[in-house]
Amino acid sequence: MPPCEECENGKVKWGKTGDCQYDSIAECEEANKDYYEKTTSIVELVISDDSQELAIDAISLVTSPAIEQDFVYFGKEKNNLTFAKVDEEKRMLVSPALIPNKQIFRHDPNTDSDYYVYFSPDTVRKASELYLKHNNHHKATYQHQDRVSGVLTVESWIKEGDMDKSKLYGYDLPNGTWFVKMKIENDELWSKIKEGELKGLSIEGYFTDKMEQMSEKAPTTEEILSALNEIISENQTK
């Protein structure tokens, strides 16, 4: 878990034993920025060519989304949106699934080290396309654990400009953000959403460290020829 954690009263605390004194994650991180400046690595994650089918295996409904953006759902309580009120029984929610260049905190228990990961706009778009290409729109989990039924992605889109419809739902996120609209027919999950227990989405999939992928990638014929030409040129000048 990241050092800044949400309290039950909506405030944010620093660490497991800190006081619930901050109004937001951002305020907590700013007040303790010395800690984050010590974080040693920021890693870009990419989709491996040999695991595209697993790129986004499922979308999980969670209490604390890694991208720090809650979803909005359509119900009697959600009548402050800028579009016509929707019948609660439609059981729809809208949420960002991935935000490009958003740094996401991670902790490696094997090395007891903290780091951040992020996805480029190209990787976000590719992930959204592969998610639909491999018919994973009906796959969902609860808290990254149990596979659940009755959850279906009915819309998927990438924000491409200021007129994007995501603003109708109260979002002001960067261009390139991947949004989904989901229908929740699962009674238990819908109840948890209405009660505020489930607040957002997190993706599940297989990604690889870009630097590791580059180091493991076999050189192309062109790269080999280029290296040989450099060696030959160097020998000729000696």
Side-chain angles (χ1 to χ4, degrees):
M1 292 293 291
C4 289
E5 298 183 8
E6 291 187 3
C7 305
E8 293 183 357
N9 63 1
K11 292 282 189 176
V12 176
K13 65 181 179 179
W14 172 257
K16 296 290 185 183
T17 59
D19 296 329
C20 300
Q21 59 180 310
Y22 304 106
D23 293 328
S24 66
I25 294 286
E27 181 181 335
C28 175
E29 291 179 346
E30 176 62 25
N32 299 277
K33 60 184 179 182
D34 288 346
Y35 171 87
Y36 290 93
E37 289 173 353
K38 294 177 183 176
T39 301
T40 57
S41 60
I42 301 175
V43 179
E44 179 183 354
L45 296 184
V46 295
I47 297 171
S48 177
D49 291 338
D50 58 1
S51 61
Q52 292 193 1
E53 188 172 352
L54 302 175
I56 302 292
D57 183 54
I59 292 180
S60 189
L61 289 93
V62 296
T63 58
S64 182
I67 56 174
E68 299 174 356
Q69 288 287 331
D70 295 351
F71 52 55
V72 295
Y73 68 90
F74 304 153
K76 294 176 181 177
E77 301 85 356
K78 296 288 180 179
N79 57 4
N80 59 338
L81 303 178
T82 55
F83 53 88
K85 186 176 178 181
V86 181
D87 190 329
E88 182 180 6
E89 292 309 310
K90 288 188 180 292
R91 296 191 180 191
M92 297 283 191
L93 64 83
V94 171
S95 177
L98 276 179
I99 303 173
N101 300 320
K102 169 73 176 180
Q103 293 182 12
I104 302 171
F105 179 88
R106 287 290 181 265
H107 177 76
D108 186 347
N110 295 321
T111 60
D112 193 29
S113 60
D114 299 334
Y115 62 102
Y116 286 89
V117 299
Y118 74 95
F119 302 89
S120 72
D122 287 342
T123 298
V124 172
R125 179 177 291 277
K126 187 174 182 180
S128 71
E129 293 170 352
L130 292 172
Y131 172 70
L132 296 179
K133 178 180 178 180
H134 295 291
N135 294 318
N136 291 329
H137 59 286
H138 64 285
K139 295 181 179 179
T141 65
Y142 170 69
Q143 296 283 49
H144 289 296
Q145 295 177 0
D146 301 325
R147 186 62 64 92
V148 293
S149 60
V151 178
L152 179 68
T153 298
V154 294
E155 287 188 38
S156 171
W157 77 93
I158 299 291
K159 179 182 177 181
E160 295 182 337
D162 291 339
M163 301 300 292
D164 187 78
K165 64 182 178 180
S166 61
K167 289 201 169 185
L168 294 175
Y169 307 114
Y171 291 110
D172 186 16
L173 294 173
N175 289 340
T177 297
W178 173 23
F179 285 94
V180 294
K181 179 188 284 187
M182 307 185 82
K183 184 172 181 61
I184 312 297
E185 296 180 329
N186 185 303
D187 293 340
E188 182 178 357
L189 290 179
W190 185 247
S191 177
K192 292 180 183 296
I193 290 171
K194 289 178 61 180
E195 292 170 0
E197 180 178 339
L198 294 175
K199 298 181 178 180
L201 306 179
S202 287
I203 62 167
E204 293 184 3
Y206 180 79
F207 297 89
T208 184
D209 182 328
K210 184 176 182 179
M211 294 304 295
E212 289 182 1
Q213 185 188 58
M214 291 176 66
S215 66
E216 295 172 358
K217 183 179 178 182
T220 64
T221 302
E222 290 77 9
E223 291 171 338
I224 294 174
L225 290 175
S226 177
L228 288 173
N229 287 331
E230 288 182 8
I231 295 172
I232 294 171
S233 298
E234 289 175 0
N235 288 336
Q236 289 176 340
T237 57
K238 291 181 178 179

